[in-house]
Amino acid sequence: MCGAVLIDPRQDRPQPGPQVPSGGGRSVGSGIYSSQTSPKSDKGDKEAEVDALTNMLMKSMESAAEEDFFGICGRCEKEVKGENNGCTAMDQVYHINCFTCVGCNMRLQGKSFFAMETKPYCESCYINTLEKCSVCSKPITDRLLRATGKPYHPDCFTCVVCGKSLDGIPFTVDATNQIHCIEDFHKKFAPRCCMCQLPIMPQVGQDETVRIVAMDRSFHVDCYRCEDCGIQLSSEAEGRGCYPLDDHILCKNCNAARIQAMTTKMSTEL
C-alpha cells in the first residue's frame, strides 16, 4: 500500500537565466558554435552574434515561463503545471484531479491507495476485487489457498468432522464436496468389518489397506478367521482356505467336523 505525494514546485529546481558564452564559443540551445574572425567577415560575425544572443534571450524567457511545468500526466497525457495541480505516484506525475480510484473515481491525492496492475484503487474498491473465502465469505487479503477449485483462507480450510487445519496436508472430499482429513473420511465412509464392526482403513502412515470380502461381507485380514477354531483363513495359504457352511465362516477341518456332526445327528434321529 502506498500514498501519493504532492509536488514541491520549487524543490531542487534550477532558476533559469541567460547563458553566457565562454572561451571561443557561444552556447545556443545545446550546441556550441565557434567564432572565427577575419577582416572580411567582421560585419557578418557581429550580426550572427546578435542573432545568437537574441535566441538565448528568447529561450531564457521560455524557460522562465515554464518554471511550473512538472511533466506529462500519466492519465490524461497533458502537461501538469501549477504549484497545487500535480502529485507523484507509482513513479509518474498526475494532475490531482486525474489521480483517482479506477473503481469509484475518488481522488487519491494525500490518501492511501493500492496499486494493482499499475492502476490505483482506494481501499474499498481494492477489497472488492479480491476473491472471497468459500467458508467465511470474507475477502482474502493475505495468503490464498485454492482447493477443489475454490479459494480459502488457510485457517478456514479445515476438516468438517474434526476441525483440523488441512493446510499443506492430504485431504479428500465426499460426494457432497465436503472436505475431510483422510482419517475421518475413512472412519465415516470406509466399509466395516462384520466381525469387529470397526472401519477397514489404512494403518497410520500408510495409504492403502486390504479388505477381504467373503459371502458378501467385509473382513479385516486379522478378523478373517474360522468361527470354530479361530485359525486365520487365507486363500493364498494351503489348507487354510474358507469353507463356509450355513452362513458360517469355517476352515476345512471345522467344516468337515460340522458336516460329520450333522450327519451323525440325522442318523440318530432316524
Side-chain angles (χ1 to χ4, degrees):
M1 187 169 68
C2 35
V5 180
L6 186 66
I7 293 176
D8 182 352
R10 308 290 183 195
Q11 184 176 359
D12 297 330
R13 182 181 297 277
Q15 297 300 318
Q19 301 180 36
V20 180
S22 60
R26 297 185 182 89
S27 173
V28 181
S30 59
I32 302 297
Y33 295 82
S34 297
S35 175
Q36 297 179 353
T37 60
S38 68
K40 296 181 181 180
S41 60
D42 286 346
K43 184 177 180 180
D45 288 344
K46 289 181 179 180
E47 291 179 353
E49 184 176 356
V50 171
D51 291 340
L53 291 172
T54 301
N55 290 334
M56 292 172 60
L57 180 60
M58 292 179 63
K59 290 183 177 294
S60 297
M61 293 175 64
E62 291 175 358
S63 297
E66 295 183 0
E67 68 178 45
D68 286 340
F69 172 75
F70 301 112
I72 302 300
C73 178
R75 182 168 181 178
C76 71
E77 299 183 353
K78 296 180 180 179
E79 294 181 350
V80 180
K81 295 182 179 180
E83 180 177 351
N84 298 315
N85 291 330
C87 63
T88 58
M90 301 184 296
D91 297 325
Q92 294 191 74
V93 176
Y94 295 88
H95 292 109
I96 290 177
N97 291 334
C98 288
F99 188 60
T100 59
C101 171
V102 297
C104 66
N105 209 36
M106 180 181 73
R107 285 173 52 171
L108 297 175
Q109 190 273 323
K111 297 181 174 65
S112 297
F113 69 96
F114 292 82
M116 186 169 63
E117 296 180 352
T118 70
K119 296 180 180 179
Y121 290 81
C122 68
E123 183 173 2
S124 178
C125 289
Y126 173 74
I127 294 297
N128 289 335
T129 66
L130 301 177
E131 292 189 82
K132 294 179 173 57
C133 177
S134 298
V135 175
C136 69
S137 299
K138 295 180 180 180
I140 303 175
T141 58
D142 198 358
R143 186 165 66 92
L144 181 150
L145 189 153
R146 191 177 299 279
T148 66
K150 297 178 181 180
Y152 297 87
H153 290 110
D155 291 341
C156 291
F157 189 61
T158 58
C159 173
V160 295
V161 177
C162 66
K164 178 176 62 177
S165 173
L166 299 177
D167 183 13
I169 63 176
F171 68 95
T172 188
V173 296
D174 62 15
T176 62
N177 214 35
Q178 288 188 308
I179 300 167
H180 296 71
C181 65
I182 300 299
E183 183 178 0
D184 283 327
F185 180 84
H186 284 300
K187 287 180 179 179
K188 189 175 180 180
F189 298 105
R192 292 185 176 272
C193 175
C194 67
M195 300 299 291
C196 67
Q197 304 303 315
L198 295 176
I200 301 173
M201 54 186 290
Q203 298 294 325
V204 177
Q206 298 183 359
D207 297 328
E208 298 180 351
T209 188
V210 177
R211 174 171 66 111
I212 297 176
V213 179
M215 300 173 62
D216 294 328
R217 289 181 284 178
S218 297
F219 299 83
H220 286 110
V221 173
D222 290 340
C223 292
Y224 188 50
R225 296 176 178 274
C226 173
E227 294 182 19
D228 286 354
C229 69
I231 188 175
Q232 186 172 3
L233 304 176
S234 173
S235 59
E236 298 178 356
E238 185 177 354
R240 292 172 57 186
C242 177
Y243 293 82
L245 179 66
D246 293 337
D247 207 29
H248 293 284
I249 302 296
L250 303 170
C251 64
K252 182 178 181 180
N253 292 336
C254 290
N255 175 283
R258 284 205 180 199
I259 292 176
Q260 181 64 39
M262 292 170 61
T263 302
T264 301
K265 182 178 181 182
M266 292 175 61
S267 300
T268 303
E269 290 178 350
L270 292 175

